[in-house]
Amino acid sequence: MSESAGDRKTDRKIDVVIIGAGFSGLYALYRFREAGYSVHCFEGGGGVGGTWYWNRYPGAGSDIESLEYSYSFSEELQQEWKWSKRYSGQPEIERYMIHVADRFDLNRDISLNTTIGDLNWDESGDVWRMTASSGERIEARYCVMCTGILSAPKHIDIPGFDSFAGDVLHTSKWPAEEPDLNGKRVGIIGTGSSAVQSIPILAERAGQLTVFQRTPNYSIPLQNGPLDAAYESHVKSDYQGWRDKQRKSFGGYVSVNFRAASPPESTTMEVSDEERRMEFETRWASGGLAFYTSFKDLLFSQQANDSLADFVREKIRAKLVSREIADALIPDNYPILTKRLCADTGYYETFNRKNVELVNLREAPIERITDKGVKIGDKVYELDVLVFATGFDAITGQLVRMSIKGVDGVQLKDVWQDGPHTIAGLMTHGFPNMFFINGPQSCTGFFNPVLNAEYQCDWLADMLERMQTDGHVRVEAEQRAQEDWVEHVRSVAEPTLFWNSENWFIGANIKGKARVMQLYLGGFPAYCQYVSEVRESDYRGFAFGDQVTVNDKADALTGS
Ligand code: NAP
């Protein structure tokens, strides 16, 4: 006889379980609790913050401006909170998230230091069942995955990586107590955004810093500084109006345009050389991600892309004293913007310091890591501290590392072997009542994740309300509608230049991972239009299941 839902031992029975207490998880908790559901959030970290809890390496910070990289749901919150800098560092963002959790009394429904490793769909009761690392058994009607797209550190694939006898640090799991690097020989592997942010500070602290670089990245000066009071007042005088502008933009940030210039209407090569140069100079001076909102064809036309890459290469070269180091640091074999652009404060200038050495792994790769340091050919670079800034199994990584069993015990990791399959990044067929916020095939990664989380949670709350009204207890993505979305995501990405670099958007930084665009590139306005139409068409593409009592189900299963 089948076990019925009623026979199971459950310590906590709730409407909505939320996994992860980063920006998405905190808002989901607030939103679904406000909607009247019993909600609980499980978080593996020792505090709230998600990315901003774990990535506390020196120099960590956001490259979306503070006034925009923050919640919009509470006018009081956005008026009250004072950011100190144009772009916030990790400590300030973490303080903000702790404040949000306190201000909205979220902590009473968050279990910290608690992971959920496996989730199982129980068809007999239309519920998700899981056991937390604390041993607690949970039953939830809905499961909201807020696990982040850059939260599963890439497994280190260098031979002997665990044999190093000195201190080992990872940028994505930096210790809360700042390690003492004073006078030490520090090595860092990787030159992505995390390394680009941390290297200038590590160089100041260490006796000697050795940077092991395989692929150089393009980095633009962040142009950070104190938040201008007049500008802050301007934004706060009509914050909701400002948020609307953010939502109507492609990336969810508009300050760079406010400070620089509006995105040009023309394509790159349509304008004169002088006009193009002026546009690039303005965006270089504005800093950070400003180039993503420059000419529309930069990610489509190789010629357009080359013109920007040449401009940035020239700027980088001008910062470096040594020609040889400049040659090694300047990217020359992939389109700019296709690996996520880095934003830095003094990155290139750091390589002019006497205590910094650049090791170009394109000339000779790392052979192995030994107890003493990093071995390349006959030479061992002896170190006291080794830092891995080697990136993430991005977007799907955290989800497929969990055991998530849907209908008939099918595992999510198997269903997503050839890349994610979702409807609008919200649900996947075969996994009823499970929702993804800032997940695969949504706009996140190319759109401000804080606003995206608010939008997706609000949309889901509407759908759950409608289900409640109609007496439904189950919702599932229809396969056909889902595959239409998968095809749409693919076709939007196809004509871009993203296929010409080894970037994490297409899974190319992970050996054996399917090479598919894992995010939606059509832009937030187009995304909103799509899901609004879905809502207005009575949730086309979503199949609802009616209220069936647990006893009815058990009877049906046992044939009695
Ligand atoms: P990443 O961009 O993937 O960079 C990883 C680096 O490690 C690359 O230079 C990579 O070289 C290198 N690497 C990996 N395995 C290696 C190996 N076996 N041997 C030698 N080198 C190896 O990772 P990340 O720097 O952590 O950044 C990931 C993303 O997080 C960013 O793109 C960004 O979206 C986000 N982020 C944002 C900020 C911000 O400014 N707000 C800051 C940090 C991170 P290859 O390229 O040759 O593989």
Side-chain angles (χ1 to χ4, degrees):
M1 188 175 126
S2 278
E3 185 183 32
S4 80
D7 298 332
R8 300 268 170 84
K9 294 226 164 42
T10 301
D11 303 309
R12 189 191 290 272
K13 194 170 171 182
I14 46 176
D15 297 324
V16 184
V17 70
I18 293 163
I19 318 274
F23 268 112
S24 303
L26 291 184
Y27 183 67
L29 174 48
Y30 169 81
R31 185 65 180 82
F32 293 113
R33 190 204 271 170
E34 286 289 294
Y37 298 102
S38 56
V39 188
H40 198 82
C41 173
F42 292 91
E43 164 58 52
V48 300
T51 283
W52 300 108
Y53 172 83
W54 294 109
N55 291 262
R56 53 180 70 244
Y57 58 83
S62 174
D63 53 10
I64 298 180
E65 295 198 19
S66 314
L67 286 167
E68 303 190 324
Y69 191 74
S70 49
Y71 289 117
S72 71
F73 70 89
S74 160
E75 182 62 17
E76 293 77 20
L77 172 69
Q78 62 181 4
Q79 290 294 341
E80 280 163 23
W81 186 263
K82 297 276 303 172
W83 297 102
S84 67
K85 289 194 171 158
R86 179 181 173 193
Y87 294 97
S88 300
Q90 177 274 334
E92 197 166 356
I93 302 174
E94 189 187 22
R95 275 200 301 281
Y96 170 76
M97 296 177 80
I98 291 170
H99 170 75
V100 170
D102 286 341
R103 194 188 192 289
F104 297 97
D105 191 22
L106 303 180
N107 295 308
R108 68 181 154 94
D109 285 324
I110 302 176
S111 295
L112 297 172
N113 296 307
T114 312
T115 53
I116 304 278
D118 61 336
L119 296 105
N120 301 288
W121 174 248
D122 180 351
E123 189 78 22
S124 68
D126 285 325
V127 290
W128 282 98
R129 293 186 183 280
M130 62 212 83
T131 305
S133 52
S134 58
E136 188 182 14
R137 287 155 303 186
I138 303 118
E139 175 190 313
R141 172 73 68 206
Y142 302 110
C143 188
V144 184
M145 306 302 284
C146 299
T147 46
I149 60 164
L150 293 160
S151 48
K154 181 178 149 172
H155 297 305
I156 296 163
D157 52 4
I158 306 171
F161 76 92
D162 53 356
S163 55
F164 182 60
D167 293 336
V168 175
L169 298 169
H170 205 297
T171 47
S172 61
K173 292 267 159 22
W174 200 264
E177 193 178 328
E178 197 53 47
D180 178 15
L181 304 179
N182 197 13
K184 292 190 176 160
R185 297 166 302 173
V186 178
I188 180 165
I189 300 178
T191 49
S193 294
S194 304
V196 163
Q197 288 185 331
S198 57
I199 281 170
I201 300 171
L202 296 179
E204 280 169 17
R205 293 185 186 165
Q208 167 72 30
L209 180 69
T210 308
V211 178
F212 299 93
Q213 172 191 268
R214 191 163 63 185
T215 310
N217 264 287
Y218 295 95
S219 186
I220 307 297
L222 186 63
Q223 313 286 19
N224 203 2
L227 183 60
D228 179 69
Y231 173 66
E232 181 183 2
S233 303
H234 172 75
V235 172
K236 288 190 171 179
S237 67
D238 179 18
Y239 221 144
Q240 286 309 341
W242 196 266
R243 298 301 192 176
D244 287 344
K245 280 190 217 152
Q246 286 183 256
R247 291 187 193 99
K248 284 185 183 129
S249 70
F250 182 87
Y253 47 90
V254 287
S255 302
V256 281
N257 296 320
F258 175 77
R259 288 155 187 276
S262 297
E265 290 296 320
S266 51
T267 59
T268 312
M269 308 316 286
E270 266 170 9
V271 300
S272 68
D273 291 354
E274 291 71 35
E275 282 174 272
R276 189 181 318 117
R277 174 107 204 161
M278 200 188 298
E279 163 69 10
F280 289 163
E281 288 284 5
T282 311
R283 288 187 188 264
W284 178 268
S286 181
L289 300 179
F291 284 110
Y292 278 108
T293 50
S294 185
F295 297 108
K296 292 185 179 64
D297 58 340
L298 285 170
L299 276 163
F300 294 87
S301 152
Q302 188 62 55
Q303 192 190 10
N305 192 282
D306 286 344
S307 72
L308 174 59
D310 284 346
F311 170 85
V312 173
R313 287 185 194 121
E314 183 191 314
K315 290 284 191 190
I316 297 173
R317 193 169 288 281
K319 290 169 181 256
L320 290 154
V321 174
S322 153
R323 191 188 168 89
E324 193 191 344
I325 292 176
D327 286 344
L329 279 175
I330 293 174
D332 59 4
N333 63 349
Y334 65 90
I336 189 167
L337 307 178
T338 57
K339 275 176 178 268
R340 175 68 149 61
L341 204 54
C342 302
D344 71 281
T345 303
Y347 175 64
Y348 294 108
E349 294 84 342
T350 300
F351 291 89
N352 296 330
R353 291 174 65 113
K354 289 208 164 47
N355 72 333
V356 176
E357 181 180 11
L358 178 68
V359 178
N360 186 352
L361 301 177
R362 286 189 291 177
E363 285 172 358
I366 296 175
E367 199 175 299
R368 62 180 301 108
I369 289 167
T370 72
D371 58 337
K372 293 202 166 49
V374 175
K375 184 171 187 302
I376 298 174
D378 294 338
K379 181 165 180 181
V380 174
Y381 291 83
E382 294 198 5
L383 303 167
D384 303 309
V385 180
L386 181 55
V387 179
F388 289 100
T390 41
F392 299 87
D393 182 352
I395 306 164
T396 53
Q398 189 64 39
L399 292 163
V400 300
R401 282 182 192 182
M402 299 169 80
S403 167
I404 303 179
K405 290 189 187 150
V407 174
D408 295 333
V410 171
Q411 283 267 8
L412 186 71
K413 66 169 185 260
D414 294 332
V415 177
W416 283 6
Q417 221 163 23
D418 63 348
H421 292 253
T422 73
I423 180 162
L426 290 165
M427 296 194 78
T428 195
H429 176 71
F431 297 80
N433 293 11
M434 172 172 281
F435 310 114
F436 308 107
I437 302 297
N438 272 325
Q441 297 181 336
S442 74
C443 294
T444 197
F446 292 101
F447 183 78
N448 186 322
V450 188
L451 299 189
N452 194 48
E454 290 181 333
Y455 184 83
Q456 289 192 309
C457 288
D458 291 350
W459 191 94
L460 283 174
D462 284 352
M463 184 168 79
L464 298 197
E465 191 185 326
R466 147 79 206 276
M467 285 172 68
Q468 218 172 14
T469 310
D470 293 356
H472 298 313
V473 292
R474 169 186 170 127
V475 57
E476 187 175 356
E478 285 175 359
Q479 185 137 28
R480 187 151 168 209
Q482 167 179 292
E483 293 316 310
D484 286 349
W485 182 256
V486 173
E487 173 53 22
H488 179 52
V489 171
R490 191 203 62 75
S491 65
V492 172
E494 191 178 50
T496 67
L497 300 173
F498 281 101
W499 309 103
N500 301 349
S501 76
E502 304 288 294
N503 63 75
W504 55 257
F505 301 121
I506 60 166
N509 67 327
I510 302 293
K511 261 185 220 148
K513 190 164 177 171
R515 287 205 182 195
V516 294
M517 174 50 76
Q518 303 180 85
L519 297 170
Y520 179 54
L521 290 180
F524 188 67
Y527 178 82
C528 294
Q529 189 181 340
Y530 176 85
V531 293
S532 301
E533 282 169 14
V534 167
R535 183 174 44 205
E536 276 143 33
S537 67
D538 217 10
Y539 296 97
R540 180 190 64 219
F542 291 82
F544 297 100
D546 285 341
Q547 177 80 61
V548 181
T549 68
V550 170
N551 289 339
D552 288 345
K553 279 244 174 179
D555 290 348
L557 282 171
T558 56
S560 54

